[in-house]
Amino acid sequence: MINYTSRIIAGLICTTLSLVISASGTFAQNDPLPSWNDGPVKQKIIRFVTSAVSPGEGYVKEPERIAMFDNDGTLWCEQPTVEAEFAKSRLMGKAKTDAALRETIARVSAAMKNGKSADVQRDILSLLAASHSGLSEEEFADAVRVWLSTARHPKSGRPFTEMHYQPMQELLTYLRENKFQIFLCSGGTLEFMRVFAPALYRIPRQNIIGSSINLETRYNNNGETDVYRKPGIARINDKDGKPVGIELHLGIRPAFVGGNVRSGGDIAMMRYSQGRPSASLQILVNHDDAEREFAYAEKDNFSLNAATKYGFTVISMKRDWKQIFPK
Amino acid sequence: MINYTSRIIAGLICTTLSLVISASGTFAQNDPLPSWNDGPVKQKIIRFVTSAVSPGEGYVKEPERIAMFDNDGTLWCEQPTVEAEFAKSRLMGKAKTDAALRETIARVSAAMKNGKSADVQRDILSLLAASHSGLSEEEFADAVRVWLSTARHPKSGRPFTEMHYQPMQELLTYLRENKFQIFLCSGGTLEFMRVFAPALYRIPRQNIIGSSINLETRYNNNGETDVYRKPGIARINDKDGKPVGIELHLGIRPAFVGGNVRSGGDIAMMRYSQGRPSASLQILVNHDDAEREFAYAEKDNFSLNAATKYGFTVISMKRDWKQIFPK
């Protein structure tokens, strides 16, 4: 808590200073991204959006103003992965009488602690399937809602829904004001994200693309119809699954993509975005701020190498963000 | 052509007469549904929409104003099924050297002629998979676009995109004006519908729910990323598949559902809609107008029986629609 509080205070000081600075700076009057430090990254984003809405080179027609954002590590904190925490809490009961389940949980927990969640991606999703099936979609959503209302981030002690990035919230608003439609495109499962994303990011349920477990229409004795969650994963919306998920949902190559460094999960949709016939921008959040958030990297440097090769814009949380979390 | 022309003329006369009648009728000033005959069905729709937007019983909150429409036989003519015609035209070349394919085509064609397309639903979709795979999503969309620009309805000689129902177009507009979001929820495949639905119905690509074939992200030698269509069907969006499709796409039980009698394909999503905690309306188009369109029924009367049991509103094309096709 002390660590975290000091981070918040540091953030506050930075913000205050930056307000003073920006009063005489480039974005004095109407800075759309006040929590971003002035510099090449911020300028590149603003230049892209300004061009997108102005006739001429870089113009993006309104129906093509599709912005696709990853969630974990891009819009909110992924240390620990929130949906895995939810799964663990739901699995506690079941695990008491299920040794295989206990082993899988142990494996995932260990990987999480070592920041190697990518190595157990399938384990994570099998846990989600095991913990989240055997009930209707609405019952599941209720369970998520109840859990989110009491669960707390292990380090900050704040609700997980407060662990989102203030600069990214400003970016969402900025894009929205310029008539971009914002979509979530995450490895998280659909019904989990639908519980918090509409209120947290102002992203409606119909703009959420995610992993899905097997679903089935069922009729109960009262003649009522439910969509029931069966064990088993239907589709994983990660890596090469992301362009497929976008294609299944709307089939428009996004003009703007936001992702992050951790497991290479967002590179495929960034390259897919670059296949647009006209302008596009891809931004990649790099978690390099151990002081205010977390610092972690990929062993093989896959995402940062791809950024260099394909010209994605890398955001250094340390350098580019004045403030990380909301106050 | 003579038959069809006479139908059009009959339609014109009806419309002219009805304009005279309605000038002194209930909806004299602001009839939102001018191609609908006055009567219980039209009144029920207007009553539902009026209540949905007015405080009190029957009110539907704005984010819940989701209207889900089937396409074939609900919004446009399904005699013959347009996507099957496209598939047949694409398959001609391949069939020359493929006997099994020739047999499947013959089976489907025979069933279509006898109005039994429901019996060969899986055959139809396997043909679609066979004819539509082996190219990228964009290449496929181009092929659909080219075909639609030249193909003609066998009876009317009009482009298929002119064979949509004028009364349903008015209903879409009416719902849209009352802040309903319109979605297509059809057994047709996604990328096929995306080519025409945005212009034809003002339904954006991101509001289209349909059947899907297997997709894969591929990288070519130039480092370009495509979503490639592989053989095989990923999901059939028909019957019990429709609530699942809605759940995968947005997870909101629709307040309004439009479907039609033919194969029982829309009953599941209508029952699913009735599971809403508050008001909902389900309308079922009955093709009973051999004179102006086609007359066909289900052998087991499944959809009409369900309508009686669950209180869906049945539209008689003959009785309720002044005009069928646009002029």
Side-chain angles (χ1 to χ4, degrees):
Chain A
M1 267 310 284
I2 295 171
N3 246 349
Y4 192 78
T5 311
S6 68
R7 259 179 256 146
I8 294 297
I9 294 170
L12 280 173
I13 294 170
C14 284
T15 308
T16 314
L17 280 175
S18 71
L19 284 174
V20 175
I21 294 162
S22 73
S24 59
T26 320
F27 308 111
Q29 298 308 312
N30 281 310
D31 186 351
L33 302 172
S35 298
W36 293 65
N37 286 315
D38 199 5
V41 169
K42 179 173 180 169
Q43 282 163 16
K44 193 159 189 179
I45 292 172
I46 291 176
R47 210 162 44 231
F48 171 78
V49 175
T50 307
S51 302
V53 301
S54 320
E57 210 190 335
Y59 179 70
V60 180
K61 286 180 224 157
E62 232 178 276
E64 294 171 15
R65 287 188 207 152
I66 301 294
M68 209 53 73
F69 283 86
D70 173 59
N71 183 38
D72 298 312
T74 298
L75 296 184
W76 78 359
C77 182
E78 64 180 349
Q79 302 288 347
T81 306
V82 184
E83 188 158 2
E85 292 301 297
F86 168 73
K88 271 158 62 183
S89 120
R90 289 273 292 173
L91 288 166
M92 289 309 178
K94 285 187 181 181
K96 283 172 191 163
T97 55
D98 186 336
L101 191 56
R102 279 202 299 279
E103 277 170 33
T104 314
I105 294 173
R107 211 158 48 231
V108 170
S109 304
M112 289 296 190
K113 271 177 203 141
N114 298 322
K116 291 180 182 175
S117 57
D119 300 349
V120 289
Q121 189 77 6
R122 284 194 169 265
D123 271 347
I124 291 172
L125 285 158
S126 84
L127 284 185
L128 293 178
S131 71
H132 299 8
S133 64
L135 71 179
S136 76
E137 285 279 83
E138 276 114 342
E139 288 165 343
F140 178 78
D142 284 343
V144 176
R145 208 168 284 119
V146 166
W147 180 80
L148 275 177
S149 70
T150 56
R152 294 290 179 270
H153 188 272
K155 215 161 172 183
S156 72
R158 298 175 83 173
F160 286 107
T161 46
E162 291 183 9
M163 299 296 289
H164 52 99
Y165 307 135
Q166 180 62 24
M168 292 306 260
Q169 290 280 11
E170 293 166 5
L171 178 56
L172 297 186
T173 302
Y174 179 44
L175 287 168
R176 206 176 274 122
E177 282 170 353
N178 285 280
K179 299 193 176 161
F180 277 81
Q181 293 178 61
I182 316 287
F183 287 76
L184 213 53
C185 187
S186 164
T189 66
L190 286 171
E191 202 57 29
F192 184 79
M193 295 189 285
R194 286 172 182 159
V195 173
F196 61 84
L200 188 57
Y201 307 129
R202 291 172 53 212
I203 295 176
R205 296 168 67 90
Q206 46 269 58
N207 286 17
I208 299 174
I209 303 168
S211 298
S212 52
I213 72 156
N214 291 329
L215 300 176
E216 184 179 78
T217 299
R218 287 204 183 172
Y219 306 92
N220 71 19
N221 293 335
N222 300 326
E224 287 158 0
T225 309
D226 279 323
V227 174
Y228 188 82
R229 301 166 64 89
K230 295 197 300 180
I233 295 161
R235 211 180 65 77
I236 298 179
N237 194 58
D238 195 36
K239 299 192 170 83
D240 281 1
K242 290 200 176 188
V244 170
I246 295 167
E247 207 50 46
L248 287 171
H249 199 91
L250 69 162
I252 304 173
R253 292 185 190 243
F256 192 105
V257 173
N260 71 288
V261 175
R262 182 184 73 165
S263 60
D266 299 318
I267 302 309
M269 72 166 161
M270 292 188 175
R271 292 181 62 184
Y272 175 65
S273 158
Q274 290 192 327
R276 269 175 51 73
S278 68
S280 68
L281 186 69
Q282 299 76 34
I283 61 168
L284 188 69
V285 176
N286 193 22
H287 293 264
D288 59 358
D289 195 332
E291 183 64 29
R292 296 183 299 167
E293 201 235 11
F294 295 92
Y296 48 98
E298 292 165 8
K299 264 187 183 170
D300 58 4
N301 218 39
F302 175 77
S303 295
L304 291 175
N305 288 347
T308 306
K309 184 166 179 186
Y310 300 109
F312 309 146
T313 301
V314 177
I315 296 165
S316 156
M317 291 179 81
K318 196 168 183 172
R319 178 197 64 205
D320 294 314
W321 288 358
K322 279 176 198 162
Q323 181 187 338
I324 307 252
F325 297 107
K327 286 164 211 166
Chain B
M1 264 313 283
I2 294 171
N3 245 349
Y4 192 78
T5 310
S6 67
R7 256 179 256 145
I8 293 296
I9 293 170
L12 279 173
I13 295 170
C14 285
T15 309
T16 313
L17 281 174
S18 71
L19 282 174
V20 175
I21 295 162
S22 73
S24 59
T26 321
F27 307 111
Q29 298 308 310
N30 280 309
D31 185 353
L33 302 172
S35 299
W36 293 65
N37 286 316
D38 200 4
V41 168
K42 179 171 179 169
Q43 282 163 16
K44 194 159 188 180
I45 292 171
I46 291 177
R47 210 159 47 233
F48 171 78
V49 174
T50 308
S51 302
V53 301
S54 320
E57 208 189 336
Y59 180 71
V60 181
K61 286 181 223 156
E62 232 178 275
E64 293 171 16
R65 288 189 206 151
I66 302 293
M68 209 53 74
F69 283 86
D70 172 58
N71 184 38
D72 298 313
T74 298
L75 296 184
W76 78 0
C77 182
E78 64 179 349
Q79 301 289 348
T81 307
V82 184
E83 189 160 2
E85 292 301 297
F86 168 73
K88 271 160 62 184
S89 121
R90 290 274 291 172
L91 287 165
M92 289 310 175
K94 284 188 182 183
K96 284 173 190 162
T97 55
D98 186 337
L101 191 56
R102 278 201 300 276
E103 278 170 33
T104 313
I105 293 173
R107 213 160 45 233
V108 170
S109 303
M112 286 298 187
K113 272 177 202 144
N114 298 323
K116 290 180 180 170
S117 57
D119 300 349
V120 288
Q121 189 78 8
R122 284 194 170 264
D123 271 347
I124 291 172
L125 286 157
S126 85
L127 283 186
L128 294 177
S131 71
H132 299 8
S133 64
L135 69 181
S136 77
E137 285 280 81
E138 278 113 342
E139 287 164 343
F140 178 77
D142 284 341
V144 176
R145 208 168 286 120
V146 167
W147 179 81
L148 275 177
S149 71
T150 56
R152 293 292 179 270
H153 189 272
K155 216 162 172 182
S156 72
R158 298 174 83 174
F160 286 107
T161 46
E162 290 183 10
M163 299 296 290
H164 52 99
Y165 306 135
Q166 180 62 24
M168 294 305 261
Q169 290 280 12
E170 292 166 5
L171 178 56
L172 298 185
T173 301
Y174 180 44
L175 288 168
R176 206 176 273 121
E177 280 170 356
N178 284 281
K179 297 192 178 163
F180 278 80
Q181 292 177 62
I182 316 287
F183 288 76
L184 213 53
C185 187
S186 164
T189 66
L190 286 171
E191 201 58 28
F192 184 79
M193 295 189 285
R194 286 171 182 158
V195 172
F196 60 85
L200 187 57
Y201 307 128
R202 290 172 53 210
I203 296 176
R205 294 169 69 90
Q206 46 269 57
N207 285 19
I208 299 175
I209 303 169
S211 298
S212 52
I213 72 157
N214 291 328
L215 300 176
E216 184 178 77
T217 300
R218 287 205 182 171
Y219 306 94
N220 70 18
N221 292 335
N222 300 326
E224 287 157 0
T225 309
D226 280 323
V227 174
Y228 187 81
R229 300 167 66 89
K230 295 197 298 180
I233 294 160
R235 208 179 67 75
I236 297 179
N237 194 57
D238 195 36
K239 299 191 170 84
D240 282 2
K242 289 202 176 188
V244 169
I246 295 167
E247 206 50 47
L248 287 172
H249 199 92
L250 69 164
I252 304 173
R253 291 185 191 246
F256 192 104
V257 173
N260 71 288
V261 176
R262 183 184 72 164
S263 61
D266 299 318
I267 302 309
M269 73 166 160
M270 291 188 175
R271 293 182 61 183
Y272 175 65
S273 158
Q274 290 192 327
R276 270 177 48 75
S278 68
S280 67
L281 186 68
Q282 298 76 34
I283 60 169
L284 188 69
V285 176
N286 193 22
H287 293 264
D288 59 357
D289 195 331
E291 184 65 28
R292 295 184 299 167
E293 202 234 11
F294 294 93
Y296 48 97
E298 293 166 5
K299 265 188 183 169
D300 60 2
N301 217 39
F302 176 77
S303 294
L304 291 175
N305 288 346
T308 306
K309 184 167 180 187
Y310 300 109
F312 309 145
T313 301
V314 177
I315 296 165
S316 156
M317 291 178 81
K318 196 169 181 170
R319 180 196 62 206
D320 294 314
W321 287 358
K322 277 177 202 163
Q323 180 186 341
I324 307 251
F325 298 107
K327 287 165 210 166

